[in-house]
């Protein structure tokens, strides 16, 4: 399993949870203030450090959040819909299961992001191919068509790409008449 950073907030005893985190290939990273990672992330925070629903929403924007709350208390109403709330005294297997689900959530977000970026690139390529197809099909001058094809085939991502090898143009007015078919009864056969 590929190691994944888990942002551990103040009030969470990462040392006590070290074995669980190691089994799930989660590498604890100290959560610094209001910093939010660039990509999908995983947070483990103590309930008492969450001052408002807005603060939790800020973490949830691009992350899976596991909140450790005091034993015998419930999360504030409506706060448990998006984050996983686990009592601080829950058995290790419960915390491990919650962290495992949160880790899978982050992995899915990463895969979805990659697929979305691939989709955008594929749409851009398709638009370029359509543009080239329209340009080629509207060109009626057979003398400029080979140059248009060479220009269109150059990769647009590398402007300094060397020009492709020239295409051999067919003779301008050479026409070969079709050969008549022979019959099996033809005496020349």
């Amino acid at each position: 399993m590929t190691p994944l950073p888990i942002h551990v907030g103040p009030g969470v005893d990462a040392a006590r949870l070290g074995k669980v985190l190691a089994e799930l290939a989660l590498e604890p990273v100290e959560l610094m203030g209001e910093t939010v990672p660039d990509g999908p992330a995983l947070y483990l925070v103590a309930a008492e450090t969450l001052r408002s629903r807005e603060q939790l929403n800020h973490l949830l924007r691009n992350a899976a959040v596991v909140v450790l709350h005091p034993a015998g208390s419930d999360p504030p109403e409506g706060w448990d819909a998006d984050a996983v709330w686990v009592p601080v005294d829950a058995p290790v297997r419960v915390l491990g299961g919650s962290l495992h689900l949160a880790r899978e959530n982050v992995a899915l977000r990463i895969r979805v992001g990659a697929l979305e970026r691939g989709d955008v690139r594929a749409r851009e390529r398709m638009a370029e191919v359509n543009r080239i197809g329209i340009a080629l099909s509207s060109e009626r001058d057979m003398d400029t068509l080979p140059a248009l094809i060479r220009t269109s085939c150059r990769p647009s991502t590398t402007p300094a790409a060397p020009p492709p090898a020239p295409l051999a143009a067919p003779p301008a007015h050479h026409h070969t008449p079709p050969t008549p078919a022979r019959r099996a009864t033809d005496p020349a056969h």
Side-chain angles (χ1 to χ4, degrees):
M1 190 180 304
T2 305
L4 179 73
I6 181 168
H7 300 273
V8 180
V12 174
D13 185 2
R16 183 178 75 85
L17 304 173
K19 184 177 177 187
V20 175
L21 297 178
E23 286 175 6
L24 294 170
L26 295 171
E27 295 177 355
V29 175
E30 187 178 337
L31 183 60
M32 305 298 268
E34 297 295 317
T35 305
V36 176
D38 292 334
L42 178 56
Y43 291 105
L44 179 60
V45 297
E48 54 273 7
T49 62
L50 295 174
R51 294 179 295 280
S52 67
R53 174 64 187 190
E54 290 74 33
Q55 184 184 15
L56 179 59
N57 287 343
H58 179 73
L59 294 175
L60 287 167
R61 262 194 329 205
N62 201 23
V65 179
V66 176
V67 181
L68 295 176
H69 66 89
S73 70
D74 291 327
E77 190 171 325
W79 285 36
D80 61 343
D82 300 314
V84 178
W85 290 70
V86 178
V88 74
D89 66 345
V92 173
R93 72 181 191 305
V94 171
L95 179 60
S98 299
L99 289 169
H100 177 73
L101 289 175
R103 185 188 203 295
E104 291 301 311
N105 180 292
V106 171
L108 287 172
R109 288 179 191 215
I110 290 169
R111 278 185 262 169
V112 166
L115 290 171
E116 287 172 347
R117 286 187 300 279
D119 182 52
V120 167
R121 284 190 301 271
R123 288 177 187 270
E124 289 169 352
R125 284 192 301 264
M126 184 57 71
E128 180 68 10
V129 167
N130 285 336
R131 186 194 65 73
I132 291 168
I134 290 168
L136 291 174
S137 63
S138 64
E139 181 58 58
R140 300 288 177 236
D141 182 0
M142 292 299 149
D143 293 332
T144 30
L145 193 56
L148 180 60
I149 291 170
R150 282 192 304 273
T151 303
S152 299
C153 291
R154 287 188 184 135
S156 59
T157 57
T158 53
L167 297 175
H173 300 289
H174 185 267
H175 176 71
T176 307
T179 308
R182 294 186 178 186
R183 292 188 187 161
T185 59
D186 190 350
H189 194 125

